[in-house]
């Protein structure tokens, strides 16, 4: 990837449009599908009674999977309409949701949707750590270049996030293999987010030390 693609002039209409998106709306687009997944799993039987067509999916976890796929598609479409771009993480995660969700529904086996977080997190962790092996700090591309750091900062942060993604993959495997489906869904929705927020906040000292906010130059570009 060419790091220059992250350089956009402040007057760029696409960037202005992207920055004008209401933060609350952005949060809804990111968390909305997960909320749908949790509610549909918890009330799958009730939903099937109210909307008989959903009964074709199967039990609650399959109803939740079908609605999760639909909600993810709607969120990605809304994000594209609002910003004319799709961030890498939601896009990749969405593709895996569609593939593993379709396998879950077609084979009537919830192991595929349960493995989806494992696959996504291993993919991102592998890409980040693999990029470092080849001398590339790719975290800025994964997070859509949300901040500017010097080269050392990018390397350290990329390494930490790479390990964290692998940790999330391991945790998902432990939970879905050893606990009930309802417990796994609850953890997926209400456990992963707090853990991720805590990890993110724990990285702020490193970000502040290596921040290039207000400075110019190519050193702060990811990929260097």
């Amino acid at each position: 990837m060419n790091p220059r693609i992250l350089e956009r002039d402040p007057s760029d209409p696409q960037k202005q449009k992207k920055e004008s998106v209401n933060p609350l709306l952005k949060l809804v687009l990111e968390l909305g599908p997960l909320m749908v997944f949790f509610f549909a799993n918890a009330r799958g039987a009730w939903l099937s009674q109210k909307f008989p067509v959903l009964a074709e999916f199967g039990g609650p976890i399959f109803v939740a999977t079908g609605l999760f796929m639909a909600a993810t598609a709607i969120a990605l479409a809304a994000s594209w309409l609002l910003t004319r771009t799709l961030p890498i993480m939601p896009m990749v995660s969405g593709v895996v949701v569609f593939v593993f969700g379709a396998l879950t529904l077609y084979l009537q086996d919830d192991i595929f949707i349960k493995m989806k977080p494992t696959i996504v997190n291993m993919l991102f962790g592998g890409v980040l750590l693999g990029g470092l092996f080849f001398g590339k700090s790719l975290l800025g591309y994964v997070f859509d270049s949300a901040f500017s750091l010097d080269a050392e900062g990018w390397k350290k942060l990329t390494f930490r996030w790479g390990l964290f993604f692998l940790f999330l993959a391991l945790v998902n495997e432990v939970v879905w293999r050893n606990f009930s489906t309802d417990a796994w869904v609850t953890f997926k929705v209400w456990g992963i987010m707090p853990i991720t927020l805590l990890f993110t906040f724990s990285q702020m000292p490193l970000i502040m030390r290596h921040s290039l906010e207000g400075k110019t130059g190519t050193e702060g570009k990811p990929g260097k």
Side-chain angles (χ1 to χ4, degrees):
M1 295 183 184
N2 186 348
R4 293 185 180 277
I5 63 175
L6 297 176
E7 291 184 315
R8 293 198 184 103
D9 189 276
S11 62
D12 186 342
Q14 187 182 57
K15 184 176 181 181
Q16 289 180 340
K17 188 173 184 178
K18 183 175 180 178
E19 292 178 345
S20 67
V21 176
N22 187 293
L24 181 59
L25 177 58
K26 183 178 180 181
L27 184 64
V28 169
L29 292 176
E30 292 177 354
L31 298 183
L34 281 178
M35 298 298 102
V36 170
F37 187 64
F38 176 79
F39 174 78
N41 181 72
R43 303 299 300 275
W46 177 82
L47 287 170
S48 295
Q49 290 179 349
K50 291 293 183 180
F51 306 96
V53 67
L54 295 179
E56 298 295 324
F57 288 131
I61 187 62
F62 300 109
V63 171
T65 297
L67 294 181
F68 185 39
M69 293 169 66
T72 298
I74 292 172
L76 289 175
S79 179
W80 171 258
L81 290 174
L82 290 169
T83 67
R84 293 300 174 184
T85 186
L86 288 176
I88 292 177
M89 286 191 71
M91 181 175 62
V92 172
S93 181
V95 170
V96 178
V97 165
F98 299 142
V99 172
F100 280 71
L103 289 172
T104 296
L105 297 178
Y106 181 74
L107 299 176
Q108 287 291 287
D109 189 344
D110 61 10
I111 188 175
F112 294 102
I113 197 65
K114 289 177 178 178
M115 288 183 63
K116 174 263 175 184
T118 301
I119 299 300
V120 170
N121 286 312
M122 286 187 65
L123 179 62
F124 282 119
V127 167
L128 292 181
L129 296 178
L132 285 179
F133 182 79
F134 290 101
K136 298 291 183 179
S137 302
L138 303 176
L139 188 68
Y141 297 101
V142 174
F143 287 148
D144 204 29
S145 196
F147 34 75
S148 180
L149 305 177
D150 60 30
E152 183 181 1
W154 278 119
K155 290 179 181 179
K156 290 181 178 179
L157 199 61
T158 297
F159 180 71
R160 293 182 183 184
W161 271 100
L163 292 181
F164 181 67
F165 280 125
L166 296 183
F167 166 76
L168 291 181
L170 177 61
V171 169
N172 183 70
E173 285 295 295
V174 170
V175 173
W176 83 259
R177 291 180 183 274
N178 293 280
F179 296 90
S180 68
T181 295
D182 289 345
W184 171 76
V185 172
T186 300
F187 179 76
K188 171 181 169 62
V189 176
W190 304 110
I192 295 298
M193 182 58 67
I195 292 173
T196 302
L197 288 175
L198 285 174
F199 176 78
T200 301
F201 289 138
S202 73
Q203 304 310 303
M204 292 309 297
L206 184 149
I207 292 173
M208 296 301 295
R209 285 197 304 271
H210 295 278
S211 176
L212 291 177
E213 192 68 30
K215 299 178 182 179
T216 59
T218 61
E219 189 183 15
K221 299 173 185 175
K224 290 289 185 182

